[in-house]
Amino acid sequence: MKNIAVIGAGTMGNGIAHTFAQSGYKVQLVDISQESLDRGMNTISKNLDRMVAKERITAIEKQQTLDNITTFTNLEEGVEYAGLVVEAATENVDLKLKIFESLDEATGDDCILATNTSSISITQIAAVTRRPELVIGMHFMNPVPIMKLVEIIRGYSTSDATTQTIMELSEKLGKVPVEVNDYPGFVANRILMPMINEAIETLYNGVAGVYEIDTVMKLGMAHPMGPLQLADFIGLDVCLSILEVMYEGFKNPKYAPCPLLVNMVRAGKYGVKSGEGFYDYKESRKADKVAAMFS
């Protein structure tokens, strides 16, 4: 399995492509927008530059990583020779189902189809393919090149062989794979998102301000980032999508998104990627500073 296709050149997609390419795999990075591909490749190059500056890799290794990535705007061409496809598109159920229907038609019969979804049912995604035993969740953490964890999520029909293959592949990337079962939010977000949502509720109810809430959690609970800062980094739209999936899946009010989060997303305040969320990232290029913290 030397040819890996990655669908989506956004934050997670370009990070996944970077990680595979740096580990010596040939990567086909696919997106419908050439602009998105160019932006993704620029992000990869900048992140590699930071690694060179910190002497984690050499300039030659940077170039080898970039040379391992080929970009495509045509899905069929991009996945033609792939032994594994990792989908990293927007966290939207209908979009992912359409992508997997297309992947099922465009890839070889033995190609494993993985999704980087952070909350959507692997079983539901697998059901639109003719190979549910080869469909699996491969949930990387952001920023992908740095974070060690990969949640490996088995759908109802995912085979032992597929799971073992992806577990071993994750280890070859220098990651720590953890196998979990297919329930809304899996493990990471089932625990994390209610905490973030409660922090937003605390702000919404006027208990304390943004800085105060994050400071309590950083200094009192030894969290490297406060929950509101982390929500900005993840993307408030992503947080909202995950909470909605969990609320729909469990029908439990504890997963209902805070009205403040809903209104911020409606207003286009998504966090770092939009320049404003609970913090303002427009001044002094704060967004770049946040990204640099994790490189």
Side-chain angles (χ1 to χ4, degrees):
M1 191 182 290
K2 282 296 181 182
N3 288 299
I4 312 295
V6 178
I7 310 300
T11 300
M12 296 305 295
N14 71 60
I16 294 167
H18 172 163
T19 300
F20 273 105
Q22 191 176 332
S23 296
Y25 293 89
K26 296 296 182 183
V27 177
Q28 294 80 51
L29 181 59
V30 183
D31 199 291
I32 59 173
S33 164
Q34 185 61 51
E35 181 182 356
S36 294
L37 287 168
D38 293 342
R39 188 164 54 245
M41 290 301 298
N42 185 54
T43 297
I44 293 171
S45 183
K46 286 183 177 179
N47 288 337
L48 289 167
D49 283 338
R50 292 190 185 102
M51 298 176 80
V52 171
K54 294 181 179 182
E55 299 184 344
R56 293 178 181 172
I57 62 172
T58 66
I60 293 174
E61 289 171 323
K62 173 198 168 180
Q63 191 57 52
Q64 288 173 337
T65 298
L66 293 174
D67 289 344
N68 280 337
I69 305 174
T70 308
T71 61
F72 294 85
T73 54
N74 183 285
L75 185 141
E76 288 76 15
E77 293 178 1
V79 304
E80 184 176 3
Y81 301 109
L84 167 68
V85 178
V86 182
E87 171 273 319
T90 304
E91 193 74 351
N92 177 282
V93 174
D94 292 335
L95 175 61
K96 289 185 186 293
L97 296 182
K98 289 179 181 178
I99 289 173
F100 271 78
E101 287 178 343
S102 298
L103 291 175
D104 194 41
E105 294 290 337
T107 56
D109 292 342
D110 59 349
C111 179
I112 295 175
L113 304 180
T115 174
N116 183 59
T117 181
S118 51
S119 60
I120 297 168
S121 168
I122 308 304
T123 303
Q124 181 181 7
I125 291 172
V128 302
T129 75
R130 296 166 297 180
R131 63 183 91 182
E133 73 283 357
L134 293 177
V135 178
I136 194 166
M138 200 176 186
H139 180 209
F140 290 87
M141 304 294 125
N142 186 26
V144 180
I146 304 301
M147 300 292 278
K148 290 292 187 182
L149 175 66
V150 183
E151 270 189 309
I152 307 300
I153 307 104
R154 296 184 64 141
Y156 186 84
S157 301
T158 306
S159 70
D160 291 340
T162 297
T163 304
Q164 187 62 30
T165 296
I166 297 303
M167 294 284 284
E168 292 174 358
L169 178 63
S170 299
E171 290 174 351
K172 289 177 182 176
L173 297 176
K175 304 300 185 185
V176 178
V178 177
E179 181 182 338
V180 305
N181 290 318
D182 186 20
Y183 292 95
F186 315 131
V187 171
N189 283 316
R190 184 167 179 174
I191 295 170
L192 175 63
M193 286 302 152
M195 182 191 74
I196 287 176
N197 200 42
E198 191 62 30
I200 299 171
E201 286 278 2
T202 303
L203 176 66
Y204 179 60
N205 292 330
V207 178
V210 171
Y211 172 80
E212 289 76 15
I213 291 168
D214 277 354
T215 299
V216 166
M217 296 304 291
K218 285 191 286 187
L219 300 185
M221 312 304 167
H223 290 193
M225 298 176 75
L228 301 177
Q229 184 185 12
L230 179 56
D232 275 356
F233 188 70
I234 293 169
L236 302 189
D237 54 333
V238 175
C239 293
L240 178 59
S241 294
I242 294 170
L243 284 164
E244 288 174 338
V245 168
M246 293 170 65
Y247 181 61
E248 177 64 25
F250 291 115
K251 299 294 192 296
N252 189 322
K254 74 178 180 179
Y255 299 117
C258 175
L260 175 59
L261 175 61
V262 174
N263 276 343
M264 290 180 71
V265 172
R266 285 174 177 168
K269 300 183 187 303
Y270 301 147
V272 173
K273 63 186 173 185
S274 70
E276 185 178 357
F278 293 106
Y279 295 87
D280 185 355
Y281 302 92
K282 295 175 183 176
E283 298 177 3
S284 304
R285 299 190 62 79
K286 290 181 182 179
D288 285 345
K289 291 182 180 181
V290 171
M293 290 167 53
F294 294 89
S295 63

